[in-house]
Amino acid sequence: MNRIATPKADIRVIIADDHAIFRDGLKQALASEENIFLLGEAADGKELIQLAIESNPDVILTDIRMPVMDGISATKKILETSPGVSIVGLSMFDDEAHIVDMLEAGARGYLLKNADKSEIIDAINSVFHGELYYCKHTSFTLAKMISSSKFNPHKRKDKIEFTEREIEIVQLICEQLTNKEIAEKLYLSTRTVEGHRLKIQEKMHAKNTAGIVICALRLGLYN
Amino acid sequence: MLLYDKYLRSTKNLYSGNDDLFASVYCSNVLPSAEKSPIEPLLIAASVLGIILLYFIASLIRHQRRNVKLNQEKIEAEIITLENERRRIAADLHDEVGPMLSGIKLMISSLEVENDSDRDRIIKVKEYIDDSIKRMREISNNLLPAVLEKRGILEALQQLFVEYQKIHGIMIQFSYDENISLSSQRQLHLYRIIQEILHNTIKHAHAKILRVELLMNNKNISLYTEDNGGGFDKLDRSNKGKGLGMRNLHSRAELLSGNLYIESAPSKGTRITLNFPNHEQDSHTKS
């Protein structure tokens, strides 16, 4: 969102999914973006590896469950030879265990397949700029699984300092309260809560609620 | 009737016949040259008949046992086929239809229109597709809850109860032993039993509260449920013949080698108890 002002670098992308219809949809969604160039598409993990070697992309969007070779093995293989590429896993809602495996394999983010177009674009831009991306529909159980997995994206050395109010709000966010509900509970205006939330997001380098929850769980702000 | 008479008579004969057989064998050994009493051939005939009948009864029992076992195996095979089909359909919906709908949604999203009403229509269509995906997920989950295979029976039940409380407004009190763990086949049977009970509680008993207990001692697992609903007359019920749901309940209980007790009376609520052995091996040695 805040990158709109900065000039966009070209991002070269390949996609992999065994469903032609989904690839087609993805292709059309990406086509309208000026800075995203689709280099090619693959129908399974083997094809994806081949394509990645040939076209040397910046970002790969890949399904996790595919025939012949799944996205997890493909991700590991690709990162062995070209560690610079950012990979985003795609999955249908409840493959929670697979999502965690995918992140542990080295993916920089994940998306649910029924994500909005804007979210997909956002994910591509984020991982291209070295950030992590968690789909905004991340369930609490998934957040817990990610935060307790070996995958540790939050290796920042500088400790993040939170005010008491912020910690309070983070805990309420983890309890799945909306800004309005938090405002009512803490006797604040919704606007103030929004301000706090943005500040928290900034401190945590989180893109969305999912990022806040995962970071909070990891830092032990909420159990 | 005739057969029964014959059976009675023969068992009587059997006892007396057996004794006499020993006696006659003994006699013939010790006194080979003694004159044969006129009663002896009769005794021998009776003993032979007794032995044949004994054999007949034994094979009848064996046959009966084999029949019960075959029948149980048949039910088991049917249920396993059913569950496999359900699993396949659930997976197909989830793995095939899901991505297709998602693809269509993305295509719709990339349409660019000038007209405001068209834009609204696109938004509406996207919402419809989202609803379809959601509904598809629910159907797939009803066929076979993914959580059951991934996280086990306790989490699957908790999820099921939360869902039912939300949709049907029934209050479910669930207490359980955390150490319960079952093989995937057996936990599926137990899950279906509880699902069936829950379904009956809401659809037939119209209960407001359902208590579910799942306990374990070292050898057995017990399921106990109690509702405050309408209940039913067991006699009346059995006259009409068991409903499909009830029959399923009994078949599944049998597959768990369990004992199922249903206690109910009109406007007195329903209490169901199921006890079954903790381990799979028990189910086969028992029959």
Side-chain angles (χ1 to χ4, degrees):
Chain A
M1 275 173 279
N2 44 6
R3 264 191 310 280
I4 288 165
T6 60
K8 290 182 174 179
D10 288 346
I11 307 175
R12 298 164 342 119
V13 177
I14 58 180
I15 57 177
D17 194 294
D18 51 327
H19 294 93
I21 294 181
F22 186 74
R23 287 203 307 269
D24 234 24
L26 207 52
K27 237 167 30 187
Q28 291 187 30
L30 300 182
S32 55
E33 289 302 298
E34 283 173 10
N35 67 324
I36 293 174
F37 295 94
L38 188 66
L39 301 178
E41 49 184 297
D44 62 58
K46 275 233 161 77
E47 276 185 42
L48 174 62
I49 293 174
Q50 192 58 37
L51 193 61
I53 292 168
E54 285 167 11
S55 56
N56 191 28
D58 299 312
V59 174
I60 295 172
L61 291 183
T62 174
D63 188 11
I64 297 178
R65 273 157 58 174
M66 287 185 290
V68 188
M69 183 192 269
D70 63 23
I72 299 163
S73 315
T75 298
K76 282 182 194 157
K77 277 258 157 59
I78 291 167
L79 290 177
E80 270 172 27
T81 49
S82 38
V85 55
S86 298
I87 300 176
V88 177
L90 290 164
S91 90
M92 221 59 219
F93 16 70
D94 46 15
D95 309 329
E96 286 167 353
H98 291 293
I99 291 171
V100 173
D101 285 348
M102 188 71 186
L103 293 173
E104 284 181 357
R108 306 286 297 165
Y110 82 88
L111 281 169
L112 293 186
K113 282 191 181 171
N114 56 338
D116 280 329
K117 177 187 159 190
S118 58
E119 216 179 332
I120 295 173
I121 306 294
D122 206 18
I124 293 175
N125 281 310
S126 298
V127 298
F128 178 70
H129 288 96
E131 292 165 23
L132 300 152
Y133 192 90
Y134 307 110
C135 180
K136 74 171 186 224
H137 293 292
T138 303
S139 67
F140 189 71
T141 44
L142 180 56
K144 256 189 154 158
M145 283 171 82
I146 294 174
S147 78
S148 61
S149 76
K150 285 177 288 189
F151 169 71
N152 190 351
H154 303 276
K155 282 184 196 147
R156 268 181 287 280
K157 284 181 193 89
D158 46 325
K159 202 166 162 269
I160 318 169
E161 298 281 348
F162 294 99
T163 64
E164 257 173 53
R165 173 100 310 162
E166 280 166 355
I167 291 174
E168 213 170 2
I169 290 173
V170 166
Q171 286 168 343
L172 292 174
I173 290 172
C174 287
E175 275 162 24
Q176 305 182 46
L177 267 63
T178 62
N179 281 348
K180 201 167 158 237
E181 288 164 338
I182 295 173
E184 276 165 17
K185 201 154 190 165
L186 300 179
Y187 307 106
L188 298 170
S189 74
T190 317
R191 198 168 273 259
T192 316
V193 174
E194 270 165 23
H196 279 301
R197 192 189 263 259
L198 280 176
K199 202 147 205 183
I200 292 164
Q201 227 160 294
E202 212 170 277
K203 281 187 183 177
M204 288 179 166
H205 299 273
K207 303 276 305 169
N208 51 29
T209 310
I212 295 179
V213 174
I214 290 168
C215 189
L217 288 168
R218 209 179 274 285
L219 295 173
L221 298 178
Y222 183 82
N223 299 306
Chain B
M1 206 55 207
L2 189 74
L3 196 74
Y4 183 63
D5 266 347
K6 206 167 145 195
Y7 167 77
L8 269 185
R9 225 178 312 138
S10 58
T11 35
K12 264 184 220 153
N13 285 350
L14 200 66
Y15 288 111
S16 53
N18 263 348
D19 283 347
D20 291 352
L21 178 69
F22 283 127
S24 67
V25 168
Y26 178 78
C27 282
S28 57
N29 273 348
V30 175
L31 299 162
S33 58
E35 304 127 65
K36 287 180 179 174
S37 78
I39 218 156
E40 202 168 314
L42 216 78
L43 281 178
I44 292 172
S47 327
V48 169
L49 199 73
I51 290 169
I52 290 171
L53 253 146
L54 200 69
Y55 179 76
F56 175 72
I57 291 165
S59 63
L60 205 73
I61 292 169
R62 207 172 50 220
H63 196 74
Q64 175 67 15
R65 277 197 188 151
R66 209 173 50 201
N67 246 349
V68 168
K69 207 176 163 207
L70 274 178
N71 198 32
Q72 193 172 347
E73 275 169 9
K74 201 179 133 211
I75 293 171
E76 191 161 3
E78 269 170 19
I79 286 180
I80 287 169
T81 314
L82 177 84
E83 292 294 352
N84 282 342
E85 274 303 276
R86 280 186 180 161
R87 179 177 294 121
R88 193 182 59 78
I89 297 168
D92 281 355
L93 273 178
H94 178 277
D95 298 342
E96 304 293 326
V97 185
M100 285 181 188
L101 287 173
S102 302
I104 294 168
K105 184 181 153 191
L106 284 175
M107 276 185 218
I108 297 278
S109 321
S110 40
L111 282 181
E112 272 164 34
V113 287
E114 303 293 312
N115 189 322
D116 269 355
S117 72
D118 280 353
R119 198 168 298 129
D120 286 348
R121 219 166 280 158
I122 288 176
I123 291 171
K124 204 95 230 136
V125 170
K126 269 165 64 181
E127 280 171 12
Y128 286 157
I129 296 173
D130 272 337
D131 287 348
S132 310
I133 293 175
K134 215 175 124 203
R135 188 74 197 102
M136 185 211 76
R137 185 191 187 184
E138 282 166 8
I139 294 171
S140 154
N141 236 344
N142 279 344
L143 283 168
L144 182 76
V147 59
L148 184 64
E149 297 209 324
K150 281 182 195 146
R151 304 258 173 73
I153 180 92
L154 296 176
E155 263 195 58
L157 286 176
Q158 277 164 329
Q159 220 169 13
L160 179 76
F161 294 156
V162 166
E163 204 178 295
Y164 263 78
Q165 302 200 72
K166 225 192 289 174
I167 297 170
H168 301 280
I170 185 175
M171 191 167 102
I172 302 172
Q173 302 164 330
F174 180 38
S175 48
Y176 55 90
D177 188 327
E178 277 184 18
N179 300 317
I180 288 175
S181 74
L182 293 161
S183 72
S184 67
Q185 201 61 249
R186 285 162 70 78
Q187 71 175 2
L188 186 56
H189 293 321
L190 181 60
Y191 184 85
R192 294 289 187 218
I193 286 172
I194 295 172
Q195 220 175 10
E196 184 62 44
I197 293 173
L198 199 50
H199 178 81
N200 289 340
T201 305
I202 285 159
K203 199 166 174 199
H204 303 301
H206 307 290
K208 291 272 166 294
I209 303 172
L210 174 71
R211 196 148 61 88
V212 179
E213 277 174 24
L214 202 53
L215 303 170
M216 184 174 72
N217 59 33
N218 52 353
K219 280 217 175 100
N220 287 300
I221 292 181
S222 334
L223 167 71
Y224 177 76
T225 71
E226 182 176 6
D227 72 35
N228 68 343
F232 57 88
D233 191 342
K234 272 180 88 174
L235 288 170
D236 186 37
R237 194 87 178 173
S238 41
N239 283 343
K240 278 190 230 154
K242 286 179 188 169
L244 191 66
M246 276 294 170
R247 221 162 40 213
N248 268 336
L249 216 57
H250 282 280
S251 305
R252 300 258 186 192
E254 213 163 285
L255 289 180
L256 289 170
S257 306
N259 298 312
L260 185 73
Y261 309 98
I262 301 175
E263 226 184 298
S264 186
S267 70
K268 289 261 168 66
T270 304
R271 281 168 299 283
I272 297 176
T273 311
L274 169 73
N275 290 313
F276 62 96
N278 199 354
H279 294 295
E280 195 128 20
Q281 303 91 286
D282 299 54
S283 71
H284 293 292
T285 49
K286 201 184 160 192
S287 60

